[in-house]
Amino acid sequence: MRGGTVGAAGGGQGLFRVLLEAAPDAMVIVDEAGVIQLVSARLETLFGYARAELLGRPVEILVPDRFRGRHAGHRRAYAAQQEVRAMGAGLEVHGLRKDGSQFPVDISLSPLATRNGLLISATVRDISERRSAEARINELADLVESSHDAILAKTIDGHITYWNAAAERLYGYTAEEVIGRHVSLLATKSRRGEITQILDRLRRGEKIEHFETIRVTRNGRLLDVDVTIWPTRAADGTVNGACAIARDISDRKRTEAELTRLYEQQRDIALTLQHSLMGTPPEVPELHTASRYLPATQGAGVGGDWFDLVPLGAGRVGVLMGDVMGRGLEAAAVMGQLRSAANALARTGMPPVRLMQVLDTVVTDLPGQLVTCCYLVIKPDTRELTICSAGHLPVLLASPGEGVRTLPAPVSVPLGVGGIPHEQTRITVPPGSVLALYTDGLIETPGSDIEHRIAALQEEFAAAFATDPDLESAADRLLAAMLPGAKPDDDDATLLLTRLPVAPLASVDIALPATPSAVSDGRAFLTAALARWDRTEVADEACLLVSEILTNAIRHAQGPLRLRLRMSRSDLTAEVSDRTSRRPQLRLARTDEESGRGLFLVDTLADSWGTHPTDEGKIIWFTLRLPERAPSRHRRVTPP
């Protein structure tokens, strides 16, 4: 297009200036020699020059050095053609500001024929921001195309409009094969209805995460994918499509499956280890018990709960319960160590407070371990309890006609804290009382107050004790109430119920002086008691054993002495108490010695024997198992 003829100076220049200032872009007018004739205010601002600094100067002042050599040739070629070149016609060059900075520009040219010759009008636009935006778009496009995740776009009706290289690798379709087709081709036939639901949600502007329906490949294989879909919007804000990212999570699922397998394996090993270490508590004729152990359902599950019943002889029973903080193999292993140590210590006759002190030393030597533990020594015939608690939950006591209460026992810090003494106390409870020992997994739940949960357990215990005297039924009822579904989440749960006898055992005792006459008096007392109890078949062995332990007490201890006899359905127990704490030692006498064989006889003839300390001194005891015999309707035991 040829430019029109305009006037030269004067009114023509005034018209040019009006047009220049009205233009939305920066403008400059040069002659055929490239000398600047007119500039607009916007051009002054764009290049940083005042108008006086530009008029009459070569236009190359606005061109970077590297382009100036070619600039005159381009201008002459344009003057020969004299065609209008609009913005975006390929004339993208760089401008040079007064401060020396360079920037990309887009130029449009128009020829202007005047009486004084040809003028060229150039409109200049700074395209720095456009170039930056284009660079960002290109980077984003490269990022999208090179992404390891499959990225696809679709219309709001579900037709695919974009498909990157990762989508091609994941699903097996090329972009040409899927663009324009409905996204439901990537879903199984049975789940294509979900696509419609998803599109409805997208129309409402919802973002959808962890969507797995788009998972069918070109060859029909099912993928493990995690898909996130979000709506795209037009300029007016309306939803006009959606973009989806599909991530292959098959490796993650395999890893999760392997971790689950390892967790289950560790859980099985820990359970096996715990059951092996815990073993089966022995039956104690004087006590009825019911126990429950439930491993946690989360993670490794099994923890460090344990309980134990330890026959201590002389009609006494030790009851232990502990909880190693933590879960898994380590907790189970620590539990095994402590259970074995506690069992061995209890069998020495060690009082509860001393046992806790020794266990505290053991746990302190195990780095990072804390353990709660409770130890009771029960004398079923006298219903006397001696209890020591190291940070363990309170023991509950249900007594006939008295409801349920907590045992008034001092509670010290957990084992492993060290430096703080433990305490024990002695309590006598009513006949037929039931004790409930438990670990925190039975009562603790997220967000609950432990005092309220203990109170809830007391209420359930009272209801179970009043409704059904059977301990097994009571244990099941407590679990059902405190752990619905009988599945503790975060910690294993242990419960032990122990009932003391309703009727006292047959027992008699006599005080004896620490003189030789005590031996014959003790034999006579024993013979009379066995006759009343109709158990004379063990009289000979029992008299010999009583003679030996009385003789040992007379020779090596201080009086007065007390002989106590106790008979259960299966055993006869005799114990002699004295006022000396030094324990007798079992030894083999030399052939030329006339004494020293008493305890050896006791060890040989008795089914069990031992000693344990008392507040005044000690007790030495033995047990003889009574022969089984058919019950007789005419036989009865005379109460003492």
Side-chain angles (χ1 to χ4, degrees):
M1 175 180 176
R2 299 285 179 178
T5 301
V6 297
Q13 289 226 358
L15 177 60
F16 283 172
R17 185 166 301 283
V18 172
L19 294 174
L20 286 176
E21 298 306 330
D25 295 309
M27 294 187 67
V28 59
I29 296 177
V30 301
D31 60 18
E32 285 189 80
V35 177
I36 299 173
Q37 301 298 316
L38 291 172
V39 296
S40 68
R42 286 185 175 83
L43 188 125
E44 294 179 73
T45 303
L46 180 61
F47 284 88
Y49 287 98
R51 180 177 283 111
E53 295 177 291
L54 294 175
L55 295 178
R57 302 283 300 276
V59 74
E60 281 80 8
I61 193 175
L62 304 177
V63 178
D65 290 343
R66 67 181 186 276
F67 298 117
R68 288 178 181 175
R70 301 190 298 273
H71 195 266
H74 290 320
R75 188 175 61 253
R76 287 192 295 270
Y78 178 77
Q81 295 176 358
Q82 296 189 28
E83 293 180 352
V84 174
R85 293 181 179 176
M87 288 279 186
L91 294 177
E92 292 186 12
V93 293
H94 284 75
L96 177 66
R97 292 190 177 94
K98 182 179 179 179
D99 61 8
S101 62
Q102 300 180 25
F103 60 101
V105 295
D106 191 3
I107 298 177
S108 66
L109 301 175
S110 297
L112 299 172
T114 70
R115 298 190 192 99
N116 298 326
L118 179 69
L119 297 180
I120 301 172
S121 172
T123 301
V124 183
R125 181 177 296 170
D126 183 357
I127 59 172
S128 300
E129 292 184 0
R130 189 182 79 187
R131 285 285 182 87
S132 297
E134 289 173 350
R136 289 195 295 270
I137 291 172
N138 290 333
E139 289 174 2
L140 180 59
D142 291 340
L143 180 64
V144 169
E145 195 59 31
S146 62
S147 172
H148 294 292
D149 296 329
I151 300 176
L152 58 145
K154 56 188 177 181
T155 66
I156 198 59
D157 294 325
H159 292 90
I160 298 171
T161 60
Y162 177 78
W163 188 262
N164 74 342
E168 181 175 335
R169 291 192 299 270
L170 183 62
Y171 290 98
Y173 292 100
T174 64
E176 291 76 11
E177 290 175 314
V178 296
I179 288 179
R181 298 180 66 181
H182 200 272
V183 72
S184 59
L185 77 103
L186 304 177
T188 60
K189 291 182 179 179
S190 62
R191 301 188 65 178
R192 286 179 181 172
E194 295 180 19
I195 300 296
T196 303
Q197 299 174 11
I198 290 297
L199 293 174
D200 289 340
R201 293 174 61 186
L202 289 169
R203 290 187 186 97
R204 295 193 296 269
E206 293 184 38
K207 180 181 179 181
I208 298 144
E209 296 182 279
H210 309 306
F211 183 58
E212 298 184 7
T213 298
I214 304 176
R215 56 182 306 216
V216 181
T217 67
R218 192 172 189 270
N219 59 13
R221 183 170 61 91
L222 296 181
L223 298 170
D224 289 319
V225 290
D226 185 6
V227 182
T228 299
I229 310 174
W230 63 94
T232 58
R233 299 179 182 274
D236 61 359
T238 59
V239 176
N240 61 357
C243 187
I245 294 180
R247 175 164 297 173
D248 184 356
I249 58 171
S250 54
D251 288 342
R252 189 184 80 189
K253 285 206 169 183
R254 283 192 293 270
T255 301
E256 290 173 351
E258 179 64 15
L259 288 175
T260 300
R261 186 187 68 81
L262 292 175
Y263 268 123
E264 290 299 323
Q265 184 181 51
Q266 181 179 355
R267 176 185 172 85
D268 291 342
I269 292 172
L271 274 171
T272 301
L273 177 62
Q274 191 192 56
H275 286 307
S276 175
L277 293 173
M278 183 181 288
T280 302
E283 291 187 9
V284 181
E286 294 85 355
L287 297 176
H288 296 288
T289 63
S291 61
R292 298 290 186 272
Y293 169 74
L294 295 174
T297 57
Q298 301 295 324
V302 64
D305 286 11
W306 93 88
F307 68 91
D308 202 0
L309 300 175
V310 187
L312 302 176
R316 300 178 311 137
V317 180
V319 179
L320 277 158
M321 180 164 285
D323 185 0
V324 179
M325 296 184 186
R327 289 187 291 158
L329 287 173
E330 183 179 5
V334 172
M335 176 277 294
Q337 297 179 57
L338 294 180
R339 183 182 183 277
S340 298
N343 186 287
L345 293 170
R347 289 180 183 276
T348 67
M350 185 177 290
V353 65
R354 177 59 181 154
L355 182 141
M356 287 298 177
Q357 291 168 353
V358 177
L359 285 184
D360 194 16
T361 303
V362 174
V363 177
T364 302
D365 290 338
L366 300 174
Q369 293 292 340
L370 286 176
V371 180
T372 66
C373 187
C374 181
Y375 179 41
L376 295 91
V377 174
I378 302 175
K379 294 183 177 180
D381 59 330
T382 62
R383 304 180 309 283
E384 182 182 273
L385 313 178
T386 304
I387 180 173
C388 184
S389 177
H392 204 74
L393 295 165
V395 178
L396 300 184
L397 173 68
S399 301
E402 298 183 13
V404 176
R405 59 189 174 96
T406 60
L407 281 183
V411 178
S412 183
V413 297
L415 303 176
V417 174
I420 299 178
H422 301 283
E423 299 179 63
Q424 72 178 30
T425 188
R426 187 173 290 117
I427 306 163
T428 300
V429 299
S433 295
V434 179
L435 302 171
L437 288 84
Y438 51 95
T439 57
D440 52 10
L442 182 67
I443 61 171
E444 287 187 351
T445 56
S448 65
D449 180 83
I450 192 168
E451 297 296 334
H452 293 164
R453 293 289 291 170
I454 292 175
L457 178 62
Q458 283 185 256
E459 292 179 7
E460 293 294 337
F461 189 23
F465 186 65
T467 304
D468 190 347
D470 180 66
L471 293 188
E472 297 292 339
S473 299
D476 290 336
R477 175 169 177 167
L478 291 179
L479 285 183
M482 303 305 295
L483 297 173
K487 290 183 179 180
D489 290 332
D490 300 321
D491 197 4
D492 43 358
T494 303
L495 171 67
L496 175 65
L497 302 180
T498 302
R499 173 179 281 124
L500 279 71
V502 176
L505 299 177
S507 64
V508 290
D509 63 275
I510 184 175
L512 298 169
T515 61
S517 63
V519 176
S520 59
D521 292 343
R523 283 200 301 264
F525 181 75
L526 170 63
T527 301
L530 291 176
R532 286 200 307 274
W533 294 338
D534 193 20
R535 280 297 189 176
T536 56
E537 66 270 34
V538 296
D540 292 340
E541 289 179 339
C543 284
L544 177 58
L545 294 174
V546 164
S547 297
E548 294 300 334
I549 62 174
L550 282 171
T551 300
N552 186 281
I554 292 167
R555 290 183 176 179
H556 303 290
Q558 296 178 354
L561 310 178
R562 180 168 291 276
L563 172 63
R564 181 179 180 85
L565 305 174
R566 182 187 305 105
M567 189 184 72
S568 68
R569 294 187 302 272
S570 58
D571 298 298
L572 170 70
T573 299
E575 48 184 83
V576 172
S577 59
D578 59 49
R579 299 298 181 91
T580 303
S581 59
R582 185 167 59 89
R583 297 189 177 192
Q585 301 296 319
L586 178 65
R587 68 183 183 88
L588 290 174
R590 297 193 305 270
T591 56
D592 58 344
E593 288 184 298
E594 295 183 358
S595 63
R597 297 176 177 82
L599 290 182
F600 182 77
L601 286 173
V602 174
D603 185 65
T604 302
L605 297 176
D607 289 287
S608 60
W609 74 280
T611 64
H612 64 85
T614 65
D615 294 340
E616 296 81 18
K618 68 176 180 298
I619 289 175
I620 180 171
W621 57 269
F622 71 82
T623 298
L624 281 177
R625 188 166 298 280
L626 299 173
E628 293 186 9
R629 60 188 184 186
S632 171
R633 54 194 290 183
H634 302 293
R635 182 181 294 121
R636 57 180 297 181
V637 176
T638 304

